[in-house]
Amino acid sequence: MSARFVQPSVIPGFRLALGFTVFYLAVIVLIPLAALIWRASDLGLPAITSLALEPRTLAALQLSFVTSFLAALFNVPFGLLVAWVLVRYRFPGRRLLDATIDLPFALPTAVAGIALTALYAPNGWIGQLFAAAGIKIAFTPVGVWLALVFVSLPFIVRTVQPVLDDLDREVEEASATLGAGRLRTVAKVILPALLPAILTGFALAFARSVGEYGSVIFIAGNIPYVSEIAPLLIVIKLEEYDYAGATAVATIMLAVSFAMLLMINLVQSWSRRRFGRV
Amino acid sequence: MHLDIRQIAKDFGDTAALHGVDLSVASGELVALLGPSGSGKTTLLRIIAGLDFPTRGQVLFGGTDASLKSVQERNVGFVFQHYALFRHMTVADNIAFGLRARPRARRPSEADIGRRVETLLELVQLGGYGKRYPAQLSGGQRQRIALARALAIEPQVLLLDEPFGALDAKVRKELRRWLRDLHDRTGHTTLFVTHDQEEALDLADRVVVMSNGRIEQVGVPEDIYDRPATPFVFDFIGEASRIPVQVKAGVPHLGGRAVPLPADVKRPADGPAILYVRPEHVTLAADGHGLGGTVASLHRSGSSRRLSIRLDGTDALVEAIAPYDGEAPPVGGRTALRFHSPGLFAA
Amino acid sequence: MSDVATLITREAVIAETSGETVGARRRQPRRPTEESPTIRWTLIGVAVALLVVFLLLPLVAVFAEALRRGLDPVIDALTDPDGLAAIKLTLLVAAISVPANLVFGVAAAWAVAKYEFKGKAFLITLIDLPFSVSPVVAGLVYVLLYSTSHGWFGPVLNGLGLQVIFAVPGIVLATIFVTFPFVARELIPLMEEQGTTDEEAALSLGAGGFRTFWMVTLPNVKWALLYGVLLCNARAMGEFGAVSVVSGHIRGLTNTMPLHVEILYNEYEFVAAFAVASVLALLALVTLGLKSLLEWRYGDELAAGRRH
């Protein structure tokens, strides 16, 4: 470790702390992920593409991406509304409501999965209301979407909330003194200021949804070509000892995760460059 | 557009921020609201703008009651202390915001808006900055953009909250002169809030000194400085020595001796009182006529020499400035003092 | 210019003025940054209704389904040997993976927050990486490494008599992976904010490195540390996807509580499944409660952004 690599400091323990950090990171995260990428490169891009284009795999990937996108999309207005209400209004039970937002983070996904199924199955509390109207929720893509809405809501709320909280009231007042009505102020002044946070929250919600497993598999019904998600397909392929197939699907999902991570970083640095802060 | 404020009072819960304030501002006047923090000056400014509403009282624009008008209808130009520029909009879009927010019938065409933005950018000496974002400007530039944005809506009155508060000392002085020039050219009725007495006295036609939700004194800068109306103004603006005295039959006495005062000084009722006098209003009388005292300390303060003089028969110290060419008495030396423009208030 | 005549300063409230025009109370316009009460309460109502349906109802359903036939079947499900084994395994896994990630979190935060070195931002990104990887993929990568038949290291380890996949070590590794960033990401921003002055002061007073860490750094971050451990533990006990891939679902041996829930559910033992699930839900509620308590009471001592 040369003197140029780290700036001199009187505080001891740099080598030990960084050494352990890098070692642990390598053993737990980097080497295993490298193993996946190594396997994928062994397969080669053409093989991965043809495995991904298998009708059943393609259907699963499509279902995962479309429902995840729609869930994140739904959670943008939903999360904005919740963040707005929590930040701007004072009402009894506000703190309790604030605490429940993190429920999907805290509740084990398998528990959420069976609970959602119990609610939305044709004989469940909510499912029977829809069943009476001839609408099936559980064991269809709608059920998948619903579970993804549940798990990804906190991402939008928790990224928008602090930004909304920090938003300078004077900016809204400035808009009003310039003659803008409340609706115009919200649309032209507040929402654009929240845009980087909304995009970040959307990307986080989408990334989480694409990879989500536990809360989805129970309510999805897992019918091939209809309600089978990509992560489940990995599990199925592993159980069939189809390591190549599992690797192909996992590689595509990992690529999407990295793309989302990259997008979040780009949004943040763009926002920092243009607006001076995130 | 002249502005009348009548009996404005504002309560926040149990505490009163303003106790029935009256003020008139003539058309085209530049008025400073000066006071320490918590004096109610910013609250008053916000009430005039319609950003806050008074508990009692009225605001009249050009003789018309505006109390029931919303901030959008009042058409006031407001410059916030931290400018409150829209960070996600270019400078040009910031300035155009108020024009684009107008109802369709009164909204200028985009071409007209563009021309108006250019004119305003020239006015605030930032021509060519339209495409930048606020984050790319210096503090002083942001300040001027905030002003241009407020001027774009052709406001009836211009209100500025601590307009130079967030700037460093050098930029502050430059912008002060610049704002005065701009005001003289555009002629907007303007109120600005400041806690900086130098800024208020330098810039304003008239200064309103506020304290604890009340107006202490209103006047031209010379009046405020030379003839403070209350002990608060004496203390808050400039410096003053405080001399405890006894008033007997309208004449202040110090250690049993009468203190000679100019005839125009208001006299309180008999009893204990405080005499206020500014160092520059104290003359060291070479002829020995005046209040006797001993020099307690002498030190140099920048370009002048300051004397602390203990008056005979008391513990009271009076600050004075030694004449630049004259002989100052040494520490322990005897001198005599005469007061110009002192104030006398019941203790 | 001005003269005193254009201006009136009245200290006292003059009765006649206030009587005619000033005192009358009329409906005033709203403050410009507020919505009307109708809009306000509508928005609150809609938000509460949506949150109740989407978040709270599932939670209620867990307990309602568990207690459908009273308390006895719940107790039966939890005291069943397989149930007890699942609870024990879950506690064991958490007891290994939480301390491991705690030590890592402290070391990483110390390195990142107290020094300036090249590649720091990249290191932080890598630390957060497990959050953006699907739990199933997290399980898969360990299978690819340690599977006895297909893994890189599997055959070697198997020769030494050590089985990782379909055994407890694999479950622990997968759990550590998915809970990897929790402690580090709470500590890093806080310790960066706190800077190095406290440590420098302690060192200048003659304290050694370990003593400085123990007496100065640790007390400064104790609540954030607890916060991170809390979240890490909740996820460790509740993890399903990653563990599911590596466990092999061997009853009584490699079944954690969430996996046990799945098996019971798939065997149509709904009450038993929800009984085990309700224990996990209670754990989630306790976690949320403690987390909120930390945010309210010690918000200042958690990292920025956690201060609600």
Side-chain angles (χ1 to χ4, degrees), chain B residues 53-240:
Chain B
F53 294 95
T55 314
R56 291 181 303 281
Q58 282 179 303
V59 177
L60 290 85
F61 288 82
T64 318
D65 186 2
S67 304
L68 290 181
K69 282 190 177 171
S70 68
V71 57
Q72 287 91 348
E73 296 163 327
R74 288 192 193 191
N75 199 35
V76 293
F78 201 104
V79 176
F80 292 84
Q81 185 176 0
H82 301 288
Y83 323 131
L85 292 175
F86 306 130
R87 289 191 288 131
H88 59 279
M89 289 183 202
T90 61
V91 162
D93 287 338
N94 264 282
I95 297 175
F97 185 87
L99 298 173
R100 294 198 176 120
R102 283 184 182 173
R104 198 162 301 246
R106 294 197 298 115
R107 193 185 309 160
S109 71
E110 274 300 314
D112 285 343
I113 290 177
R115 275 192 289 278
R116 178 117 184 88
V117 168
E118 275 313 307
T119 315
L120 282 161
L121 280 172
E122 293 297 334
L123 183 72
V124 299
Q125 295 162 355
L126 286 172
Y129 279 69
K131 287 203 170 63
R132 299 217 189 168
Y133 282 86
Q136 299 165 317
L137 303 178
S138 71
Q141 289 171 333
R142 285 180 210 176
Q143 220 285 338
R144 285 183 275 162
I145 296 301
L147 192 64
R149 184 178 69 175
L151 290 174
I153 60 168
E154 290 150 343
Q156 306 195 55
V157 295
L158 191 57
L159 306 172
L160 304 100
D161 186 9
E162 296 277 4
F164 312 113
L167 301 171
D168 61 51
K170 185 166 170 287
V171 180
R172 193 183 301 190
K173 277 201 171 145
E174 282 168 19
L175 270 183
R176 204 193 283 170
R177 291 323 319 163
W178 174 82
L179 182 66
R180 181 72 229 188
D181 290 347
L182 188 78
H183 174 264
D184 292 346
R185 274 186 286 156
T186 58
H188 282 98
T189 307
T190 305
L191 260 88
F192 72 97
V193 157
T194 180
H195 65 272
D196 180 344
Q197 44 169 306
E198 192 190 321
E199 195 169 289
L201 297 174
D202 183 28
L203 187 51
D205 294 329
R206 276 194 307 155
V207 177
V208 178
V209 184
M210 294 186 70
S211 155
N212 287 322
R214 291 194 169 83
I215 291 181
E216 293 278 339
Q217 188 176 3
V218 183
V220 298
E222 289 73 21
D223 278 344
I224 297 287
Y225 194 84
D226 291 334
R227 282 172 287 282
T230 66
F232 174 83
V233 181
F234 253 115
D235 272 340
F236 184 65
I237 291 167
E239 278 181 82

Side-chain angles (χ1 to χ4, degrees), chain C residues 72-86:
Chain C
D72 290 343
V74 176
I75 293 165
D76 288 347
L78 295 176
T79 49
D80 163 84
D82 290 347
L84 280 177

Side-chain angles (χ1 to χ4, degrees), chain A residues 212-255:
Chain A
E212 180 55 28
Y213 177 70
S215 56
V216 180
I217 54 161
F218 297 97
I219 197 171
N222 310 326
I223 309 155
Y225 302 101
V226 177
S227 59
E228 191 177 61
I229 54 166
L232 177 68
L233 206 59
I234 296 179
V235 175
I236 291 174
K237 284 183 184 298
L238 271 181
E239 282 169 0
E240 294 168 349
Y241 301 102
D242 177 4
Y243 286 72
T247 304
V249 179
T251 309
I252 292 167
M253 291 180 52
L254 201 63

Side-chain angles (χ1 to χ4, degrees), chain A residues 4-7 9-14 16-18 20-22 24-25 27-36 38-39 74 78 81-82 84-86 88-92 95-120 125-126 139 145-146 149-150 153-154 158 161-162 165 169 172-173 176 182 186 207-208 210-215 217-218 231-232 234-235 238-239 241 243 246-247 250 253-254 257-258 261 265, chain C residues 30-35 39-41 43-44 46-48 50-51 53-62 64-65 68 97 100-101 103-104 107-111 114-119 123 125-127 129-130 132-137 140-147 149-153 166 173 176-177 180 196 199-200 203 208-209 227 234-235 237-241 244-245 249 258 261-262 265-266 273-274 277-278 280-281 283-285 287-288 291-292 295-296 305 307-308:
Chain A
R4 286 210 184 123
F5 167 66
V6 58
Q7 285 182 20
S9 166
V10 295
I11 296 172
F14 176 69
L16 179 67
L18 188 71
F20 178 69
T21 300
V22 171
Y24 189 85
L25 183 71
V27 169
I28 299 294
V29 181
L30 298 182
I31 294 174
L33 285 180
L36 175 67
W38 187 276
R39 291 265 179 166
F74 174 80
F78 184 13
L81 171 71
V82 172
W84 180 269
V85 165
L86 286 176
R88 291 302 173 97
Y89 303 145
R90 294 293 171 265
F91 54 93
R95 282 185 156 186
L96 194 69
L97 206 66
D98 192 41
T100 55
I101 302 300
D102 286 330
L103 189 66
F105 284 158
L107 198 66
T109 53
V111 177
I114 63 168
L116 287 168
T117 315
L119 277 180
Y120 291 98
W125 295 352
I126 301 178
F139 320 128
W145 172 81
L146 205 76
V149 167
F150 175 86
L153 174 68
R158 292 302 187 219
Q161 210 176 0
D165 208 20
R169 285 291 178 110
E172 290 168 52
E173 291 180 344
R182 191 64 184 146
V186 170
R208 169 70 195 261
V210 167
E212 180 55 28
Y213 177 70
S215 56
I217 54 161
F218 297 97
L232 177 68
I234 296 179
V235 175
L238 271 181
E239 282 169 0
Y241 301 102
Y243 286 72
T247 304
M253 291 180 52
L254 201 63
S257 299
F258 289 166
L261 217 65
N265 280 321
Chain C
R30 269 191 323 281
R31 289 187 47 172
T33 54
E34 283 171 3
E35 286 76 38
I39 292 177
R40 192 160 67 231
W41 286 108
L43 292 179
I44 293 173
V46 172
V48 170
L50 283 170
L51 287 176
V53 171
F54 279 94
L55 297 192
L56 279 183
L57 264 184
L59 184 68
V60 175
V62 173
E65 293 289 332
R68 188 178 275 245
S97 48
N101 281 335
V103 172
F104 161 73
W110 184 267
K114 302 293 175 193
Y115 305 94
E116 289 303 323
F117 57 91
K118 280 180 189 163
L123 184 64
T125 308
L126 287 182
I127 289 172
L129 197 59
S132 35
V133 173
S134 167
V136 172
V137 175
L140 172 72
V141 294
Y142 287 107
V143 172
L144 294 180
L145 272 187
Y146 298 110
S147 150
S149 53
H150 288 74
W152 282 358
F153 307 139
F166 304 147
L173 279 176
I176 290 180
F177 183 100
F180 187 83
T196 54
E199 284 76 14
E200 283 161 4
L203 291 166
Y227 192 94
R235 181 73 191 268
M237 291 190 171
E239 178 52 28
F240 178 71
S244 171
V245 171
H249 303 91
V261 169
E262 184 194 20
Y265 189 85
N266 286 343
F274 278 102
S278 62
L280 289 169
L283 170 77
L285 286 181
T287 304
L288 279 187
K291 173 179 165 299
S292 302
E295 281 165 7
W296 297 336
R307 293 168 194 155
H308 294 267

Side-chain angles (χ1 to χ4, degrees), chain C residues 23-282:
Chain C
R25 288 187 181 264
R26 293 150 302 189
R27 200 183 63 80
Q28 283 180 332
R30 269 191 323 281
R31 289 187 47 172
T33 54
E34 283 171 3
E35 286 76 38
S36 73
T38 322
I39 292 177
R40 192 160 67 231
W41 286 108
T42 307
L43 292 179
I44 293 173
V46 172
V48 170
L50 283 170
L51 287 176
V52 166
V53 171
F54 279 94
L55 297 192
L56 279 183
L57 264 184
L59 184 68
V60 175
V62 173
F63 295 107
E65 293 289 332
L67 297 171
R68 188 178 275 245
R69 292 197 209 104
L71 206 55
D72 290 343
V74 176
I75 293 165
D76 288 347
L78 295 176
T79 49
D80 163 84
D82 290 347
L84 280 177
I87 293 173
K88 272 187 205 150
L89 181 59
T90 295
L91 291 175
L92 175 72
V93 169
I96 300 171
S97 48
V98 173
N101 281 335
L102 171 66
V103 172
F104 161 73
V106 171
W110 184 267
V112 166
K114 302 293 175 193
Y115 305 94
E116 289 303 323
F117 57 91
K118 280 180 189 163
K120 193 161 128 171
F122 185 60
L123 184 64
I124 295 174
T125 308
L126 287 182
I127 289 172
D128 265 346
L129 197 59
F131 274 170
S132 35
V133 173
S134 167
V136 172
V137 175
L140 172 72
V141 294
Y142 287 107
V143 172
L144 294 180
L145 272 187
Y146 298 110
S147 150
T148 39
S149 53
H150 288 74
W152 282 358
F153 307 139
V156 179
L157 292 174
N158 202 33
L160 297 171
L162 185 67
Q163 195 185 352
V164 175
I165 301 304
F166 304 147
V168 176
I171 296 176
V172 171
L173 279 176
T175 304
I176 290 180
F177 183 100
V178 293
T179 57
F180 187 83
F182 276 110
V183 178
R185 68 169 1 201
E186 291 306 323
L187 290 186
I188 289 173
L190 180 66
M191 281 167 67
E192 279 188 324
E193 212 174 87
Q194 289 175 345
T196 54
T197 44
D198 285 10
E199 284 76 14
E200 283 161 4
L203 291 166
S204 75
L205 293 170
F210 184 73
R211 192 180 175 80
T212 300
F213 171 75
W214 198 252
M215 305 288 284
V216 175
T217 310
L218 214 52
N220 276 342
V221 299
K222 59 177 183 287
W223 297 119
L225 198 72
L226 184 61
Y227 192 94
V229 165
L230 206 61
L231 298 184
C232 185
N233 179 62
R235 181 73 191 268
M237 291 190 171
E239 178 52 28
F240 178 71
V243 171
S244 171
V245 171
V246 295
S247 114
H249 303 91
I250 308 162
R251 277 194 174 207
L253 282 179
T254 63
N255 253 357
T256 61
M257 285 171 78
L259 297 178
H260 195 52
V261 169
E262 184 194 20
I263 290 184
L264 292 170
Y265 189 85
N266 286 343
E267 289 171 352
Y268 302 100
E269 299 230 27
F270 291 136
V271 170
F274 278 102
V276 180
S278 62
V279 175
L280 289 169
L282 275 179

